[in-house]
Amino acid sequence: MPNKENLPKFIAIALLITLGINILLSFISQSAFQEIDYSTFLRMLDNDEIYSVQIAEDRIIIIPKADSATPIVERKMYYTGKLDYPGLVDRLYDAGVKFKPVQNKQSPIMNFLISWVLPFGIFYVFASMLMGSMSKRMGGTMSIGKSNAKVYVQKSTGVTFDDVAGQEEAKESLQEIVDFLHSPSKYTKIGAKLPKGALLVGPPGTGKTLLAKAVAGEAKVPFFSMSGSDFVEMFVGVGAARVRDLFKQTEKHAPCIVFIDEIDAIGKSRDSTLGGNDEREQTLNQLLAEMDGFDSSKGVVILGATNRPEVLDKALLRPGRFDRRVIVDKPDLKGREAILKVHAKNYSMDENVNLREIALATAGAVGADLANMINEAALRAVKMGRDKIRQDDLFEAVETVIAGKEKKDRVMTQTEKSMVAFHEVGHALASALQKKAQPVHKITIIPRTMGALGYTMQMPEEEKYLMTKDEMLAQIVVLLAGRAAEELIFNEITTGAANDIERATHLARQMVTIYGMSDRFGMMGLESIQNRYLDGRPVRNCSDTTAAEVDNEVQRILKECYEKAKTLLQDNMEALGKIASYLIQKETIMGDEFMEILNSVNNKSE
Ligand code: ADP
Ligand code: MG
Ligand code: ZN
C-alpha cells in the first residue's frame, strides 16, 4: 500500500489520470457521433438516406446509407433527441429502414461507476501492487534526500546484549545510553546532559554493528541505520540534504537511535586530502550542524562506527558531538570462548566439544571469524554425514580459516614430500626444545589451498598479554628452524620458507623499532603504527641513515636466531629423522604423538 504521507498526492494523480481518460473517451465518441436536429432526421428519412436506426431511451442513433465500400464501423453516425412521436415506427417501417430499440442499461450511477470509479480503482490497485513489491525488495526502507538513497529503519532490532559476547567494557558504557533512552527524565531532572553520540571504534568484525543494534534492542526504540558512504554522491549538496532529512525523520520518531556505520567515509578530516572533496566536506559540515542543533533530551542518540578513528575530523570528536569513544577491541581468550558459546547455541553440538580449546587456538580472531568457523565446522559435519558438530570439525574449520582448505588431490613427489616433512618437523622441534616457545599442537604435510604445503600449528597453554624479549627470540628461532632443517638434511634450500622469513623479519623489526629491545638503539621509538585497527602499517619515524642501521640490526638478530636454530636441530638429528619419517607415513601427527617420539629418543640417549 502507498504510505500515508504520499496518499493525498497519490489520489490526486489517480484522479487526474481518470479525468484524462474520460475526456479522451468523450472526445473520441464525439468525433464519431454528430448531433443533428429532429427535422434533419426526418428529412433524411424522406430522402431515403438512412440505413438503420437505433432507438434508445433518450436518443435516436442514425446510421446513414453510404456507398457500400465503406464498412459500417467507419461510417459517420448521427444522433438526435427523442420526441414523443408515435407515428415514427410506422414511418420507419414504410421507408424500409432497419430499426430496433436499444436498452440503455447503464443507469447514471452505473455510468459514473464505470467511467470514474472503475479506472480509479484499477489504477489504485495496480500502483499499490507496484509499490508493495518495490518496498518488499528494499526491506522496509524509506527514501532520504532528493534521490533514492535508503535508510534502513527497524522498529525493533531483536538483538540484545546477550547476543554480543566478550565485549563487557563496551556493553557497560553503552548500558548508560540504554538507561537514558528508557527513562530520560531520571537524568534531565538532575540537570545531567547526556552524550549526544558515541563512537564505536575497533577492528573489523569485532561486533560494532552488532553492538549498535543491541543498544536499540535493549532500549526497545527504533533503529535508523545508514552507512557513511550512503550520504556521499557525485553531486555536491546531496549528502547534506540527506543528513538534514535523516535528522528530520529521527526527530519524529524520538526516542530512537541513529547509527552511522563506517562514519570515516564522511567524517574524514577536512584538511587531510589534497584538493579536498566538496561533497564530503559539505556533508560533514551538515552533520556537525545537525548534531549541534538537536536536543538530546528528546532521546535521540547517535552511534557511529569506524575502524579508522585517527582520520576522523577533530570537530566530530569534541564534546557535544561524538564525545564518547567505546573501544570494541579484538576479544581475549575468555571473550573468544564466550563468543563461541553464543554462536554454538544455534547449532547442534556434540557434548564433548571443548570450546575453550578452540578459543586457545584462535588468538587474534575476531567475532566474525569465530562465527564463520562454527559455520564451517557445521558444513564439514554435514559433509561427513553427521548430525552433530564434533571437536575435530571445529579444529578443521580453524585450520581452514587460517590456512585454507585441504588439497588432497595435489600430488607431491616423494622428495618434495620429505623436504616439507623435514621443514615442518624442524619448526616443531625448535618449538618443543625451547622452554619459551609455544607447544606444538599439530604437524601436517597435507597441502592447503592458501599456498602452504604443510604447517605446524602451535597452541599456547594460556593467553598471554605480554611477550618477553626471550619469547620473541624463541619465536623467531622456531620460524627459521624450517629452513635450518632443509639446509642440514638436504644441504639445499627451498622456496617453502618465504612466509616464515617474512614473519620472522617482521618480528625482529618490531623488536628493534617499536619495543626497544635492541642494544644498538635502546628505547628509541623508530616506527609508529598507523591504522591500528586495520592492517597496522608501521610508519618510519627516523632518518635514512638510522633506517639503514635498523636494517643491519634486524639482519643481525635474524642471523643469530638462524644459527641457534641450526645448533638446536644438529643436537637432535635422531629425533628429527625419526619424526620426519613418521610424518611422511602418516601425513598428519598430533602434538602428543610428536612429544612421545621425542621423549623416547631423548630418554634412550640419556
Ligand atoms: P563490525 O561491525 O565490527 O565489523 P559486525 O558487528 O558486523 O562487525 O559483526 C559481524 C558478525 O560477527 C556479527 O553479525 C556476529 O555474528 C559476529 N560477531 C562479531 N562480534 C561478536 C561478538 N562480540 N559476539 C557475538 N558475535 C559476534
Ligand atoms: Mg560493521
Ligand atoms: Zn615453515
Side-chain angles (χ1 to χ4, degrees), residues 17 76 102-103 168 173 177 185 211 252 291 294 375 406 417 532 568 590:
I17 288 180
K76 185 98 182 159
V102 285
Q103 217 110 78
E168 299 312 318
S173 341
I177 291 176
S185 57
L211 262 171
K252 275 187 228 155
M291 284 192 82
F294 83 85
N375 198 53
E406 278 188 357
K417 220 168 146 181
R532 200 156 69 82
L568 261 180
M590 299 308 287

Side-chain angles (χ1 to χ4, degrees), residues 552-563:
N552 288 336
E553 183 67 10
V554 170
Q555 203 180 21
R556 191 187 58 77
I557 294 176
L558 289 173
K559 207 166 180 177
E560 274 176 21
C561 288
Y562 186 61
E563 291 308 320

Side-chain angles (χ1 to χ4, degrees), residues 313-456:
D313 199 282
K314 293 283 168 292
L316 207 51
L317 301 172
R318 77 141 167 77
R321 288 170 185 151
F322 286 111
D323 38 8
R324 283 269 167 110
R325 219 183 244 227
V326 179
I327 307 288
V328 189
D329 219 338
K330 285 189 178 173
D332 57 5
L333 176 64
K334 238 178 69 199
R336 289 198 300 275
E337 194 181 346
I339 293 172
L340 285 168
K341 265 199 193 120
V342 165
H343 286 277
K345 265 189 267 165
N346 305 327
Y347 296 86
S348 81
M349 294 270 175
D350 201 73
E351 61 258 28
N352 56 24
V353 159
N354 183 347
L355 292 178
R356 192 188 157 80
E357 251 183 21
I358 306 295
L360 262 174
T362 48
V366 294
D369 296 330
L370 296 170
N372 183 22
M373 277 171 198
I374 293 203
N375 198 53
E376 284 284 336
L379 294 179
R380 181 173 188 263
V382 172
K383 207 167 99 192
M384 299 285 182
R386 276 186 251 114
D387 58 354
K388 283 202 162 67
I389 299 175
R390 286 198 329 216
Q391 187 77 349
D392 53 333
D393 295 325
L394 287 167
F395 264 118
E396 182 58 35
V398 172
E399 284 172 51
T400 305
V401 173
I402 293 172
K405 271 197 161 24
E406 278 188 357
K407 233 167 145 179
K408 290 223 167 89
D409 54 348
R410 157 88 61 98
V411 189
M412 285 201 289
T413 64
Q414 209 53 41
T415 10
E416 271 178 340
K417 220 168 146 181
S418 69
M419 273 191 153
V420 174
F422 275 100
H423 177 109
E424 295 307 332
V425 177
H427 286 309
L429 268 180
S431 170
L433 293 169
Q434 295 184 103
K435 271 199 214 75
K436 300 275 183 179
Q438 297 173 350
V440 176
H441 174 70
K442 177 180 171 177
I443 317 170
T444 172
I445 53 169
I446 297 172
R448 297 259 161 184
T449 44
M450 272 153 76
L453 293 176
Y455 71 94
T456 305

Side-chain angles (χ1 to χ4, degrees), residues 441-479:
H441 174 70
K442 177 180 171 177
I443 317 170
T444 172
I445 53 169
I446 297 172
R448 297 259 161 184
T449 44
M450 272 153 76
L453 293 176
Y455 71 94
T456 305
M457 194 172 159
Q458 289 172 284
M459 198 162 107
E461 277 154 335
E462 57 192 1
E463 179 134 292
K464 286 234 179 95
Y465 301 99
L466 280 178
M467 232 174 146
T468 64
K469 183 178 171 183
D470 283 351
E471 280 162 351
M472 287 188 92
L473 286 172
Q475 189 60 36
I476 297 177
V477 171
V478 171
L479 285 167

Side-chain angles (χ1 to χ4, degrees), residues 144-161:
I144 277 285
K146 310 270 170 292
S147 81
N148 301 331
K150 300 289 173 198
V151 59
Y152 195 72
V153 194
Q154 278 176 306
K155 276 263 145 42
S156 71
T157 57
V159 179
T160 65
F161 277 153

Side-chain angles (χ1 to χ4, degrees), residues 87-363:
L88 180 66
V89 175
D90 289 336
R91 270 186 81 168
L92 286 171
Y93 186 77
D94 290 343
V97 172
K98 289 188 191 167
F99 66 96
K100 61 176 181 193
V102 285
Q103 217 110 78
N104 198 353
K105 271 181 264 150
Q106 291 158 345
S107 64
I109 297 174
M110 272 299 279
N111 219 334
F112 173 75
L113 281 179
I114 286 175
S115 60
W116 287 92
V117 178
L118 193 69
F120 181 80
I122 290 173
F123 178 76
Y124 185 83
V125 169
F126 185 69
S128 54
M129 251 161 49
L130 206 75
M131 284 173 81
S133 73
M134 232 153 69
S135 66
K136 215 175 283 161
R137 223 177 308 139
M138 314 248 175
T141 55
M142 64 167 68
S143 78
I144 277 285
K146 310 270 170 292
S147 81
N148 301 331
K150 300 289 173 198
V151 59
Y152 195 72
V153 194
Q154 278 176 306
K155 276 263 145 42
S156 71
T157 57
V159 179
T160 65
F161 277 153
D162 288 340
D163 297 314
V164 190
Q167 299 290 357
E168 299 312 318
E169 297 78 17
K171 280 199 257 182
E172 209 170 282
S173 341
L174 292 170
Q175 182 60 47
E176 205 177 279
I177 291 176
V178 172
D179 208 39
F180 168 63
L181 289 170
H182 268 311
S183 45
S185 57
K186 201 166 85 185
Y187 290 84
T188 48
K189 236 190 318 192
I190 197 173
K193 281 204 193 64
L194 252 103
K196 284 187 177 174
L199 192 63
L200 301 166
V201 174
T206 45
K208 297 183 294 296
T209 310
L210 195 66
L211 262 171
K213 282 188 185 166
V215 171
E218 290 279 331
K220 302 198 177 54
V221 299
F223 180 71
F224 288 76
S225 90
M226 203 162 169
S227 170
S229 57
D230 288 348
F231 289 103
V232 183
E233 286 261 334
M234 208 165 71
F235 304 108
V236 176
V238 176
R242 282 182 192 154
V243 172
R244 254 191 317 271
D245 263 20
L246 177 65
F247 278 81
K248 224 183 274 164
Q249 296 277 359
T250 54
E251 254 166 41
K252 275 187 228 155
H253 290 85
C256 65
I257 286 179
V258 182
F259 178 52
I260 306 178
D261 212 349
E262 318 292 350
I263 197 167
D264 44 276
I266 42 172
K268 232 184 249 165
S269 182
R270 276 166 291 185
D271 54 18
S272 68
T273 44
L274 292 171
N277 179 331
D278 280 347
E279 162 65 347
R280 214 189 52 225
E281 282 183 19
Q282 271 208 21
T283 311
L284 175 59
N285 284 336
Q286 188 65 41
L287 182 65
L288 296 176
E290 293 286 350
M291 284 192 82
D292 278 346
F294 83 85
D295 181 6
S296 66
S297 64
K298 274 195 197 135
V300 180
V301 173
I302 304 180
L303 295 178
T306 181
N307 30 43
R308 296 162 68 200
E310 58 280 331
V311 305
L312 289 182
D313 199 282
K314 293 283 168 292
L316 207 51
L317 301 172
R318 77 141 167 77
R321 288 170 185 151
F322 286 111
D323 38 8
R324 283 269 167 110
R325 219 183 244 227
V326 179
I327 307 288
V328 189
D329 219 338
K330 285 189 178 173
D332 57 5
L333 176 64
K334 238 178 69 199
R336 289 198 300 275
E337 194 181 346
I339 293 172
L340 285 168
K341 265 199 193 120
V342 165
H343 286 277
K345 265 189 267 165
N346 305 327
Y347 296 86
S348 81
M349 294 270 175
D350 201 73
E351 61 258 28
N352 56 24
V353 159
N354 183 347
L355 292 178
R356 192 188 157 80
E357 251 183 21
I358 306 295
L360 262 174
T362 48

